Amino acid sequence: MNNTLIQTMKLSSAALAAVLVLAACGNADETAAQDGGFPEPNTFGSTERVVPGDVGAMRTSFAPVAAAASPAVVNIAAVSSRRTDPFFEMFTGRSRQQASSIGSGVIVRSDGVVVTNNHVIQGAQQITVTLADRREYRAEVLLADPQSDIAVLQLQDVEGGLPVLPIDDQEQHLVGDLVLAIGNPFGVGQTVTNGIISALNRTNTGISDAASFIQTDAAINPGNSGGALVDMDGDLIGINTAIFSRSGTSAGVGFAVPAQTVRQVLESALGGAEAVIRPWLGVRSEPVTAEIARSLGLPRPQGVLVTSLYPGGPGDRAGIQEGDVITAVDGVEINDASGLNFRVGSRRPGERAQIAVLRDGRVQTLNATVQPLPGDRDPDQVLIERGLMAGATVAAYSPALADRIGGDAFAAGEGVIVTRLSGRGYAARAGFRPGDIVREINGREIGSVSELQQALAASARWEVTIERRGQRITGRFG
């Protein structure tokens, strides 16, 4: 079983480094679709929530929820072909198959639609799902969304209705609410742990720059990835995804993708989409620090300062201006760019979002109709095989494509963007990076892939100007 380390968080000088660990690893990739709706949320008793007063009350409050939710939580084994033994492949012509992931998932439709983490099934050639009652099914990927780390699977040859865990649609959770984490830690079998919601709307975790997570102290360990975070109504409120840990095991700081995001990916998958299309506001921002707050006369650091706008974008059309402080979206306080991206991106394209901005000491509300980023997010791509940029895969620049590969969506005009690099190619050794936009070669403006190819072939010496994160860099090669 592999543990994937994503990011090291530096603590005080007297502390050890904390490491963000994906709760399980894995691998897959195919598509299908099926119509249908979502199950209704469960209701266990009154809507008035009462904290258990003793051990006996806790036992009686957890047992019914665990019994109702557990049958819909499944184990996932993803198998991929890897070149672990080149001699085996040389003499047999085949590559060995390895079980590279054991994770968890949640059945959300009775015909066998399952949600899990993208990293559990990523790259897998075969996926096997085992139910709590030990029935096994092969699964195909309907949609995998790396940005949210959510994947949607369809079980094959399902006969009869399967147990389902309803997705929460209330979003009324509070810090301190009791929750259960259900999954398959370390591959030992289905396990239920309990805890509370430690924090909401947690951003800047290093997992995603456009996500907002539920934080919990319920024990989450490798193998729990893709499993359920369940509230006391027995509804799915999140998909367990990652932990902060010094050792790679639970330290009481776990993160779950909230139900709102899960539902967005699920709707896209069931609608037959090949990708989740998220709208944007077209606003570049930075957090309001204590120093900025003092300069603006704010009583405390709050919101994000608008530093630039995409011309003609949703924010620009709504009347947002550079220097505005965005304090809330749809009534939810915003304090960093990730929170802003999440709140806007969780809406459907074409919907209106209420943007609260502070301008000249006064708060006003603007209505922005959010839209997808302009341009083709998946254009034709070309591998450069010779010359200065050998080993670079390039495509015509668009904000949508740049955002998909982690580049700069605010670059203006036409150009050619580097989407991938081969580690052995000359382009990587020359210092090019994915997301670089080639602007000029030997003084000639580059507006298309064909112009790039012609300029590279016309000379054996090149003066190249690229744009990287808003800065222009010129280098000479030959």
Side-chain angles (χ1 to χ4, degrees):
M1 185 180 307
N2 299 324
N3 295 337
T4 300
L5 306 182
I6 310 185
Q7 178 185 2
T8 299
M9 304 268 307
K10 292 183 179 178
L11 303 178
S12 65
S13 58
L16 296 173
V19 179
L20 177 64
V21 183
L22 286 177
C25 300
N27 293 267
D29 150 53
E30 282 186 22
T31 56
Q34 191 158 341
D35 296 331
F38 300 112
E40 293 298 322
N42 287 330
T43 53
F44 286 94
S46 169
T47 56
E48 181 181 355
R49 292 172 290 181
V50 179
V51 177
D54 53 41
V55 174
M58 290 182 70
R59 286 175 178 166
T60 58
S61 65
F62 288 166
V65 178
S70 294
V73 180
V74 301
N75 298 341
I76 296 178
V79 178
S80 64
S81 293
R82 293 186 175 181
R83 293 188 58 187
T84 55
D85 186 346
F87 292 101
F88 176 86
E89 186 171 352
M90 180 185 303
F91 289 108
T92 66
R94 295 180 290 112
S95 58
R96 292 187 186 273
Q97 284 196 326
Q98 280 195 321
S100 58
S101 171
I102 299 178
S104 305
V106 181
I107 304 173
V108 293
R109 271 196 356 180
S110 60
D111 60 355
V113 176
V114 172
V115 294
T116 184
N117 281 139
N118 176 67
H119 73 261
V120 170
I121 54 84
Q122 187 174 14
Q125 296 181 337
Q126 178 180 310
I127 303 171
T128 302
V129 173
T130 305
L131 273 60
D133 62 9
R134 303 181 68 179
R135 283 181 289 174
E136 288 189 358
Y137 296 91
R138 290 287 182 88
E140 293 185 352
V141 179
L142 295 182
L143 179 62
D145 182 47
Q147 186 168 343
S148 65
D149 198 16
I150 293 296
V152 181
L153 312 179
Q154 174 66 62
L155 304 188
Q156 304 299 296
D157 302 321
V158 173
E159 297 180 359
L162 298 181
V164 168
L165 188 53
I167 301 176
D168 172 72
D169 60 1
Q170 300 298 315
E171 294 186 41
Q172 296 179 347
H173 305 103
L174 302 173
V175 173
D177 280 352
L178 293 167
V179 291
L180 301 181
I182 309 176
N184 181 26
F186 302 110
V188 300
Q190 190 175 91
T191 302
V192 180
T193 57
N194 76 281
I196 63 170
I197 294 176
S198 308
L200 294 167
N201 303 319
R202 185 68 84 194
T203 57
N204 290 330
T205 59
I207 307 170
S208 170
D209 62 356
S212 180
F213 295 91
I214 300 171
Q215 181 180 324
T216 179
D217 67 348
I220 298 173
N221 286 293
N224 274 108
S225 267
L229 190 67
V230 179
D231 66 8
M232 291 298 101
D233 290 330
D235 294 331
L236 179 72
I237 67 169
I239 294 294
N240 299 319
T241 296
I243 59 175
F244 276 126
S245 175
R246 298 170 178 171
S247 62
T249 57
S250 177
V253 183
F255 299 100
V257 178
Q260 181 182 12
T261 301
V262 175
R263 184 179 288 274
Q264 182 184 30
V265 179
L266 185 59
E267 287 178 348
S268 298
L270 297 180
E274 296 182 357
V276 180
I277 305 300
R278 294 178 175 84
W280 76 329
L281 193 58
V283 167
R284 199 197 301 267
S285 64
E286 63 181 54
V288 173
T289 62
E291 184 177 351
I292 293 175
R294 284 193 296 270
S295 69
L296 296 175
L298 300 177
R300 64 180 178 90
Q302 177 188 8
V304 293
L305 178 67
V306 177
T307 56
S308 62
L309 292 135
Y310 188 85
D316 187 20
R317 295 196 303 270
I320 297 174
Q321 301 175 8
E322 290 186 21
D324 285 348
V325 175
I326 297 177
T327 59
V329 175
D330 296 325
V332 179
E333 185 174 307
I334 299 297
N335 285 307
D336 54 45
S338 294
L340 177 63
N341 293 339
F342 171 74
R343 285 295 158 190
V344 173
S346 61
R347 304 196 70 81
R348 295 181 178 88
E351 288 186 343
R352 300 179 78 182
Q354 289 188 331
I355 313 297
V357 301
L358 179 65
R359 182 186 302 164
D360 298 328
R362 298 177 58 187
V363 176
Q364 50 186 295
T365 300
L366 304 176
N367 291 312
T369 301
V370 296
Q371 297 290 349
L373 283 78
D376 188 351
R377 72 186 306 272
D378 192 21
D380 293 335
Q381 301 185 40
V382 175
L383 172 64
I384 306 298
E385 298 181 350
R386 296 181 180 178
L388 169 65
M389 297 188 66
T393 301
V394 299
Y397 169 81
S398 73
L401 173 59
D403 179 73
R404 183 174 70 82
I405 67 172
D408 184 6
F410 283 79
E414 298 179 337
V416 174
I417 188 169
V418 178
T419 60
R420 289 192 301 274
L421 287 170
S422 167
R424 297 182 178 181
Y426 186 80
R429 298 198 302 271
F432 288 93
R433 301 177 188 172
D436 286 348
I437 304 169
V438 182
R439 292 301 190 186
E440 294 181 3
I441 295 181
N442 292 338
R444 175 182 176 181
E445 290 189 4
I446 303 300
S448 67
V449 173
S450 61
E451 290 178 359
L452 172 69
Q453 292 173 310
Q454 292 169 10
L456 291 172
S459 175
R461 295 179 180 273
W462 306 274
E463 182 178 276
V464 181
T465 299
I466 64 169
E467 184 174 339
R468 179 181 293 168
R469 290 294 176 185
Q471 294 186 333
R472 292 212 171 199
I473 305 170
T474 299
R476 294 180 176 85
F477 307 89

